Amino acid sequence: QAFFCLLLCVPWGSSCPPSCQCTERAGAKAVLCSSRHLEEIPKDIPKDAVFLKLDANSITRIPSNAFRHLSHLEELDLSRNAIEKIDRAAFKGVAAGLRTLDLSSNRIRSIPKEALLALNAKLRLANNPWHCECALQEVLWEARLDPDSVQDITCHTAPREEYVGKPLLQVLDAGVNFCSVRQRTTDVAMFITMFGWFAMVIVYVICYVRHNREDTCKHVEYLKSLPSTQG
């Protein structure tokens, strides 16, 4: 009876994932899942977790609403994983309260700006194989990046070879604007499309005029061939 009473009295929302360790830090719950060979984010993380360490695992993706039930979460460490994809709503539900988010040392090439710009957390994005583009530039300008790690956000690939291997901040300080490049590309594509339609209209008008001219000439020649009559 005492055993069943104990089971009923234990709050299931505070249970700890079997692959993790749960401790108290100054009255706040810390969930430690470092170096546990995890390939995905555990589903049964306690709802009252304030600190969550998932570093040094084999996680490859952060799906939508992965932390939505963790309304008390303030610090999230996802560094040293194999993360390649981050969904747009990956941090939905924790954006307001999160103070620190570490995504350094993963395999992230690009990230939807919507996933990060809603955060108030200090971001660590260093040591990823970034593709330097407009979305990453907007994140750099608008998000709260950890100043100690900004110089380690390096262009692994870029629209131009001369930017590869350089810190993104250095490239942008040199006057490069990846967003304007994309805008120019869009403008050129729109201009080519409009020019194509205009050329098609001109060709159609020319063909139409020539066809009517030929019909008119044939009709005139026919009239001339008729025997003339005197009134």
Side-chain angles (χ1 to χ4, degrees):
Q1 291 180 348
F3 175 75
F4 284 110
C5 180
L6 180 62
L7 288 178
L8 292 174
C9 293
V10 172
W12 292 102
S14 298
S15 61
C16 192
S19 56
C20 304
Q21 177 185 2
C22 297
T23 62
E24 295 284 338
R25 291 182 179 179
K29 175 159 288 186
V31 182
L32 310 178
C33 309
S34 305
S35 304
R36 299 302 173 94
H37 306 289
L38 298 175
E39 296 182 357
E40 60 181 15
I41 298 167
K43 305 294 184 183
D44 48 356
I45 298 172
K47 295 182 179 180
D48 54 349
V50 176
F51 307 100
L52 177 57
K53 288 184 65 65
L54 291 165
D55 56 304
N57 283 291
S58 302
I59 299 171
T60 59
R61 179 191 173 199
I62 307 177
S64 297
N65 302 311
F67 310 100
R68 189 172 186 174
H69 65 291
L70 306 178
S71 58
H72 300 283
L73 194 61
E74 295 182 4
E75 295 186 14
L76 176 58
D77 188 354
L78 288 161
S79 63
R80 295 184 297 152
N81 274 278
I83 298 171
E84 296 180 352
K85 181 176 176 56
I86 299 176
D87 291 356
R88 295 177 183 272
F91 305 106
K92 187 175 182 179
V94 297
L98 205 61
R99 293 190 291 109
T100 301
L101 173 60
D102 194 342
L103 292 169
S104 59
S105 301
N106 278 282
R107 300 175 184 174
I108 308 170
R109 296 189 70 251
S110 62
I111 188 170
K113 62 180 181 180
E114 296 85 358
L116 297 182
L117 295 183
L119 295 174
N120 294 318
K122 182 183 292 184
L123 298 173
R124 297 189 182 99
L125 303 175
N127 301 317
N128 282 286
W130 291 107
H131 174 64
C132 289
E133 58 180 349
C134 182
L136 182 59
Q137 176 181 320
E138 290 177 341
V139 168
L140 188 66
W141 288 139
E142 299 182 34
R144 292 184 58 222
L145 297 178
D146 183 359
D148 296 331
S149 65
V150 171
Q151 289 296 334
D152 294 323
I153 302 176
T154 305
C155 296
H156 184 74
T157 57
R160 297 178 62 174
E161 189 67 25
E162 61 188 276
Y163 306 144
V164 175
K166 293 184 178 180
L168 177 58
L169 189 62
Q170 177 183 336
V171 174
L172 297 178
D173 286 343
V176 177
N177 190 335
F178 294 105
C179 295
S180 67
V181 170
R182 185 180 67 177
Q183 183 63 41
R184 285 199 301 270
T185 303
T186 303
D187 291 344
V188 170
M190 185 177 297
F191 174 78
I192 293 174
T193 303
M194 293 179 64
F195 179 79
W197 281 107
F198 182 74
M200 289 176 62
V201 171
I202 295 297
V203 170
Y204 174 79
V205 170
I206 293 174
C207 292
Y208 179 80
V209 170
R210 285 183 177 178
H211 179 73
N212 285 349
R213 182 182 296 173
E214 291 176 359
D215 288 347
T216 303
C217 291
K218 289 180 180 179
H219 187 66
V220 171
E221 291 296 330
Y222 172 75
L223 293 177
K224 286 181 178 180
S225 65
L226 293 176
S228 59
T229 57
Q230 295 181 353

